[in-house]
Amino acid sequence: MTKHTLLKHSVAALALLGALPAAAGPATYAGALCTSVSGSGTPAIYRSGRLVNTTGSTLEVVCPVQRNINLTNLNEDVSVLVTVVDASLDKDVRCTATVSEPDGTVVLAGSGQTSGADVNNAKSISIDLAPALATFFGYITVRCEIPETYAGANSVLASFYISE
């Protein structure tokens, strides 16, 4: 093998390693990164990064996240913590976390919801998923249903935290 061929193989190997996701770890994302996929109207996005439902209907939002798989252990636990303000006395904020393969095949999912309204204090929705054996380049989605404005108060998706 010539020096030139060895150099080409080394560069290719380094490029491949650089394309792999970083080691798994926790991260917090702003609610404003989520996209409304159903309901009438568009949520308000604040500079603080919060997504606020100012409409007269429940909004469904989807928040996609790259799944970071640790190279030494493909079978990892996934925990999701969604921080919301639930302003509705009629409906709860409901969220589902899904681990999917690159082609969209669902590996596993879990859900949670708030209980009762509280416009003065944020609430947490905790979703712990069983260990997920997923391949490289998959993704996690957090899907939430945010209730409509209730008596002048708005429900909020403030942030979501993912730990793998």
Side-chain angles (χ1 to χ4, degrees):
M1 184 180 288
T2 68
K3 289 183 182 180
H4 187 263
T5 304
L6 182 60
L7 178 63
K8 283 173 40 177
H9 288 288
S10 298
V11 169
L14 288 173
L16 178 61
L17 287 173
L20 294 175
T28 301
Y29 302 90
L33 295 175
C34 303
T35 302
S36 178
V37 294
S38 71
S40 60
T42 303
I45 304 297
Y46 285 83
R47 287 184 181 135
S48 64
R50 300 180 315 148
L51 180 145
V52 181
N53 185 358
T54 58
T55 73
S57 68
T58 296
L59 291 179
E60 180 181 11
V61 298
V62 175
C63 319
V65 178
Q66 176 184 343
R67 180 155 166 73
N68 292 321
I69 300 208
N70 188 325
L71 294 176
T72 60
N73 182 7
L74 297 179
N75 198 12
E76 297 179 324
D77 294 324
V78 176
S79 296
V80 178
L81 186 67
V82 184
T83 303
V84 301
V85 174
D86 183 355
S88 176
L89 291 173
D90 293 342
K91 299 177 184 175
D92 295 326
V93 177
R94 301 173 190 274
C95 295
T96 301
T98 305
V99 175
S100 300
E101 296 290 5
D103 66 359
T105 303
V106 174
V107 176
L108 66 130
S111 61
Q113 67 187 56
T114 59
S115 178
D118 187 347
V119 295
N120 297 317
N121 297 296
K123 295 184 174 196
S124 295
I125 299 171
S126 180
I127 305 169
D128 290 317
L129 302 174
L133 182 59
T135 59
F136 295 115
F137 308 117
Y139 57 93
I140 299 169
T141 54
V142 177
R143 180 180 55 83
C144 294
E145 297 170 13
I146 313 294
E148 65 270 13
T149 298
Y150 185 90
N154 300 316
S155 291
V156 175
L157 173 55
S159 65
F160 57 102
Y161 169 86
I162 308 275
S163 177
E164 306 180 61

